[in-house]
């Protein structure tokens, strides 16, 4: 493994259809994605 490793973390929310009216979508709530406690271990 290289001495330096770059990671790209992302989160995605897909729009959901309204069950009462399939032509409309439900409102998208504001989400907070937290990426933490990541450990990469190399045994070489």
């Amino acid at each position: 493994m290289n001495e330096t490793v770059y990671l790209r973390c992302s989160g995605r929310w897909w729009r959901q259809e309204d069950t009462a009216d399939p032509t409309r979508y439900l409102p998208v709530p504001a989400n907070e994605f937290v990426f933490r406690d990541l450990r990469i271990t190399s045994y070489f």
Side-chain angles (χ1 to χ4, degrees):
M1 185 181 284
N2 295 337
E3 184 176 322
T4 303
V5 176
Y6 296 96
L7 299 176
R8 182 185 303 182
C9 299
S10 64
R12 170 89 172 132
W13 178 270
W14 280 267
R15 295 186 342 170
Q16 297 180 353
E17 292 180 352
D18 189 347
T19 55
D21 184 2
T23 62
R24 299 185 70 213
Y25 292 95
L26 296 174
V28 177
N31 287 323
E32 178 182 345
F33 294 96
V34 178
F35 300 97
R36 64 173 173 245
D37 300 328
L38 174 67
R39 179 181 296 180
I40 299 174
T41 306
S42 176
Y43 296 103
F44 299 103

